Amino acid sequence: MTSFFLAIACLLVVTFGYGGLCAASPFGDCRKCHGMGHELTTDRKGKPKRGKDCRRCKATGKRIRVGRWLYNRWARIYRAGTDTPRPKGIR
């Protein structure tokens, strides 16, 4: 029984830790270009040079984290579904 509660506690710590990470830093490095925004190639002498821009992150080097993407989607749906009354005179 204690291993069951320990597993639940570990899952809660990981979940809240990732939620805190997504709240504090919603963008992470691009997985394809490793945050550089472009790929590295080499010239004929073997020296590294800048290659093409990364298509996945559009040369920004950043991507939105999955948890933040899910939160943004949930918030957008919630706002669209709730009808908040507006004060008179405001359109």
Side-chain angles (χ1 to χ4, degrees):
M1 199 65 163
T2 44
S3 63
F4 176 71
F5 291 120
L6 182 64
I8 289 176
C10 287
L11 285 174
L12 285 175
V13 166
V14 169
T15 302
F16 287 125
Y18 184 70
L21 176 69
C22 288
S25 176
F27 295 100
D29 288 339
C30 177
R31 292 187 195 116
K32 186 174 181 182
C33 65
H34 305 290
M36 294 185 67
H38 56 84
E39 61 181 315
L40 286 177
T41 59
T42 56
D43 59 3
R44 293 193 290 176
K45 295 178 183 177
K47 292 182 182 179
K49 67 175 191 173
R50 181 184 165 99
K52 294 181 180 179
D53 287 343
C54 180
R55 290 173 27 184
R56 182 181 287 177
C57 65
K58 298 183 177 89
T60 62
K62 296 293 179 187
R63 64 170 177 84
I64 193 160
R65 295 185 194 276
V66 174
R68 187 60 184 211
W69 182 84
L70 289 172
Y71 172 76
N72 289 347
R73 178 64 55 102
W74 173 81
R76 188 177 303 124
I77 291 171
Y78 180 78
R79 280 192 302 263
T82 58
D83 186 28
T84 55
R86 298 182 195 169
K88 291 189 177 187
I90 298 176
R91 289 191 169 209

